[in-house]
Amino acid sequence: MPLAGAVAMAVLLGVAAFVIFNRDHDCSGGKLALRVVATPEIEPPLSKIAASYNKAMHSVDGRCVEVAVAKEASAKTAAAVAAGKAKADFWVADSSLLMESMRATPAGEALPQVEGSIATSPIVLAAAKSAASKLGGALQPSWASMISAANVANVDGPGRKVRVLALDPQKNSAGLAALLAAAGIAKESGKDKELVGALKELADQLATDSTALLASLTVKSGSRVPVGVTTEQAIYAHNAAKPKAPVVALYPKEGTLSLDYPVTILTKDAGALKAAADFKQALATESAKKTLRDAGFRSEDGKAGSVLSKAKGFDPEAPTALDPPDSATVTRMVQTWSRLNLGSRLLALLDVSGTMALPVPGTGMTRMQAINKIATEGLALFPPDSDIGLWAYSTHLDGQGKDYKELIHVGPLAETVNGTLRKDQMVRTLATLQAKPTGDTGLNDTVKAAYTELTKTYKADKINTLLILTDGAGNDDPDGGVTDSQLLQFLKKTYNPKKPVSILLIAFGPEARAGKRQMDALAKAAGGEAYIADDILQVRDFFLRGMERRLCMPNCDG
């Protein structure tokens, strides 16, 4: 009888287990599909977690949940969400920064709240393992060093040895996080101007995604060592795929921001909402967290898996976390990037009056040579897609009564005109331009004509600027022409804040300071700025300050 009792007990326990199992895994109502869309890098471990979840037969209201994970770039999903066309029930984006950026748009008001993070990956600098030792003192792992190396105006700095590559912040959250981290450090250290120079340079050194960026780090190209900015997990994935061309992570000493892979539940269906909540719970289990860590991610608390070891070029200790930016800061950075990278359309006016032949004490150059060098230095900061033109001005320069002459028509620097690139034409013309020995300075007539031309041919997709380079003598026209007060009235009347054509005036010479008040008035009448160069190298800073004004136009002065 004891044996019979034991058998009966086993049967009863088996029946109970069967009832309990089927009660918790009741699929009698069929299947309940949960559509998950995830940013590409986290899709593989999520799919692995989903497969285990499906196998465990989780049920909701008598239906077994079946999770299907698809990959899609977060920016693309964000656009679909904003347009009300998202096909996902459950979305894992790469960063809350993207969500904050979306909330600043009209469509963002209807965006559901983020429901926590499932993983993190810090933003780091990266270099090929074979080249990292060559960086030496050229670039220490820090945001400040990165800004210095990328600053287009710092031609004698670490940029001579290091080439910084970035991810497009409009398409990639890691790129946006890197800019926000760098901008925060720049603001703390008073290097806003240097940041502008770095952003201008990085705009021409963008990679579409981390895979392309990391691949380019291991390809020898020129004498400068390429250094990139990406996520720690992207470096792990690169090394796993290309073990013969490894990349190492360089952790910024100031600390960094991280991608946090937030969950947003998009569905409004009652059943799918329950399924989403259940799957979200599954993602919080230690088993799921380990799967994510094994793919190179960290847990939300910064804990790393064994794959992020020192032997493999990583630091298992979580880097210092910078304070996350608020939504206003994120929005401002997105606007800053967009505005700084609008194309440039610039007409340069070059003073060739008689005083330009005078020597500049202590330089071994004439004023003409100094101004030409300033123009060459400054115009070299503009990318090839910029529209640039050049006029010279004095008095009676292009026939009797016409004080200016068009030397190079405004157009793209990379455009070929009569077999020569406009950029090369510009350099050659500046190098050979001579002062007119008997010429006076018909500045006002020239400014009025040039400003009228730029206003008439205004391009909305570019920043339109009139650049005036002079020795600071101001208007000196014995034939009369436009007076100072008439020019100011004309500019104030013509300037249109909705279609701004600004004036950037740079003066170099002993008379410059005496005419500063009039130069300031002239530039500010058209939303611009006037600068006096005591040293030719200062021109780099002046051009960067002019670029900075893009961020506040048309209300830079209140």
Side-chain angles (χ1 to χ4, degrees):
M1 288 302 293
L3 178 60
V7 170
M9 180 62 72
V11 170
L12 286 172
L13 289 174
V15 169
F18 178 80
V19 170
I20 291 169
F21 178 85
N22 282 280
R23 183 184 67 202
D24 292 342
H25 303 272
D26 178 12
C27 299
S28 59
K31 294 181 179 179
L32 174 57
L34 183 70
R35 300 166 300 176
V36 176
V37 168
T39 191
E41 68 269 23
I42 207 168
E43 178 270 326
L46 275 187
S47 290
K48 189 174 180 181
I49 294 167
S52 297
Y53 177 90
N54 293 341
K55 191 174 180 180
M57 297 174 64
H58 290 253
S59 65
V60 169
D61 297 336
R63 290 187 291 170
C64 265
V65 181
E66 187 164 281
V67 178
V69 183
K71 64 182 177 182
E72 185 174 71
S74 291
K76 186 175 181 180
T77 309
V81 170
K85 297 180 179 179
K87 296 179 180 179
D89 301 315
F90 189 109
W91 177 27
V92 181
D94 53 9
S95 174
S96 294
L97 295 175
L98 176 65
M99 316 304 287
E100 292 296 341
S101 181
M102 285 181 66
R103 290 191 197 286
T105 67
E109 295 177 5
L111 188 69
Q113 290 298 315
V114 167
E115 300 201 14
S117 162
I118 64 168
T120 62
S121 189
I123 307 301
V124 295
L125 305 184
K129 186 176 182 180
S130 59
S133 60
K134 299 175 186 176
L135 289 172
L139 186 139
Q140 297 301 313
S142 72
W143 295 115
S145 291
M146 189 206 78
I147 292 169
S148 182
N151 182 5
V152 68
N154 188 14
V155 295
D156 299 318
R160 291 183 299 119
K161 296 181 179 180
V162 175
R163 181 167 60 94
V164 181
L165 307 178
L167 294 165
D168 189 340
Q170 293 181 314
K171 299 176 181 177
N172 192 294
S173 294
L176 178 58
L179 289 191
L180 286 161
I185 298 303
K187 187 172 183 179
E188 285 180 12
S189 57
K191 292 187 176 181
D192 287 354
K193 183 163 64 356
E194 288 84 346
L195 178 67
V196 172
L199 295 184
K200 286 302 297 178
E201 175 69 8
L202 292 175
D204 295 324
Q205 304 287 341
L206 293 179
T208 54
D209 56 38
S210 290
T211 301
L213 183 146
L214 291 167
S216 68
L217 296 182
T218 60
V219 177
K220 186 173 177 56
S221 176
S223 59
R224 295 190 297 165
V225 176
V227 174
V229 185
T230 185
T231 64
E232 185 182 61
Q233 192 277 334
I235 295 174
Y236 164 77
H238 168 88
N239 291 348
K242 298 182 178 181
K244 293 184 179 179
V247 170
V248 293
L250 307 173
Y251 297 84
K253 67 177 184 180
E254 304 98 335
T256 190
L257 297 173
S258 294
L259 298 192
D260 59 344
Y261 299 94
V263 168
T264 306
I265 296 175
L266 302 174
T267 183
K268 290 183 170 56
D269 177 79
L273 280 170
K274 291 180 181 179
D278 192 64
F279 183 60
K280 182 171 168 287
Q281 255 189 329
L283 291 174
T285 62
E286 185 53 36
S287 172
K289 289 180 179 181
K290 184 178 184 304
T291 300
L292 288 162
R293 289 196 296 268
D294 288 346
F297 295 94
R298 293 175 182 260
S299 297
E300 62 272 21
D301 60 0
K303 182 181 178 181
S306 60
V307 299
L308 298 180
S309 66
K310 287 193 175 182
K312 294 180 180 178
F314 301 98
D315 187 345
E317 290 296 318
T320 302
L322 294 175
D323 291 336
D326 57 24
S327 58
T329 301
V330 175
T331 301
R332 201 157 48 241
M333 175 52 74
V334 171
Q335 292 172 342
T336 293
W337 178 262
S338 298
R339 196 154 183 81
L340 270 176
N341 289 288
L342 279 175
S344 295
R345 186 166 181 271
L346 180 143
L347 174 55
L349 307 182
L350 196 61
D351 188 348
V352 295
S353 59
T355 56
M356 296 295 288
L358 297 174
V360 178
T363 66
M365 291 185 288
T366 65
R367 296 181 189 180
M368 188 80 249
Q369 291 169 328
I371 289 288
N372 288 350
K373 186 171 177 60
I374 283 173
T376 303
E377 285 272 357
L379 295 175
L381 301 179
F382 289 85
D385 62 349
S386 301
D387 287 356
I388 307 285
L390 178 65
W391 290 9
Y393 71 93
S394 177
T395 48
H396 308 298
L397 201 60
D398 192 18
Q400 188 65 25
K402 190 176 179 183
D403 296 336
Y404 50 89
K405 182 177 183 179
E406 181 181 81
L407 303 178
I408 299 175
H409 185 68
V410 175
L413 283 174
E415 183 179 65
T416 300
V417 182
N418 297 325
T420 305
L421 286 177
R422 182 175 272 100
K423 180 179 180 180
D424 294 335
Q425 280 187 322
M426 192 76 66
V427 172
R428 190 179 306 141
T429 302
L430 289 170
T432 58
L433 205 56
Q434 300 291 319
K436 181 182 179 182
T438 60
D440 293 300
T441 312
L443 174 65
N444 291 354
D445 283 7
T446 304
V447 171
K448 183 176 181 180
Y451 199 85
T452 299
E453 175 65 18
L454 277 181
T455 301
K456 186 172 64 176
T457 57
Y458 178 86
K459 288 190 177 180
D461 63 336
K462 295 184 181 294
I463 299 293
N464 297 254
T465 306
L466 181 63
L467 169 65
I468 304 169
L469 297 166
T470 178
D471 65 356
N475 188 65
D476 177 23
D477 189 351
D479 298 322
V482 178
T483 66
D484 289 347
S485 61
Q486 287 172 336
L487 180 60
L488 290 177
Q489 288 176 355
F490 163 77
L491 291 172
K492 289 175 181 176
K493 181 180 178 181
T494 308
Y495 178 72
N496 181 354
K498 293 182 179 179
K499 294 183 176 182
V501 176
S502 63
I503 289 179
L504 174 61
L505 194 155
I506 299 176
F508 184 84
E511 286 91 356
R513 294 204 176 276
K516 183 71 163 62
R517 180 178 294 180
Q518 176 62 19
M519 289 189 291
D520 280 341
L522 189 156
K524 289 186 182 301
E529 197 81 39
Y531 303 104
I532 295 175
D534 296 313
D535 184 295
I536 291 171
L537 295 181
Q538 281 183 292
V539 73
R540 298 169 187 162
D541 286 344
F542 297 156
F543 273 85
L544 287 184
R545 289 185 199 174
M547 290 176 181
E548 273 189 288
R549 290 184 71 84
R550 293 174 174 222
L551 311 185
C552 57
M553 287 180 65
N555 302 307
C556 294
D557 302 306

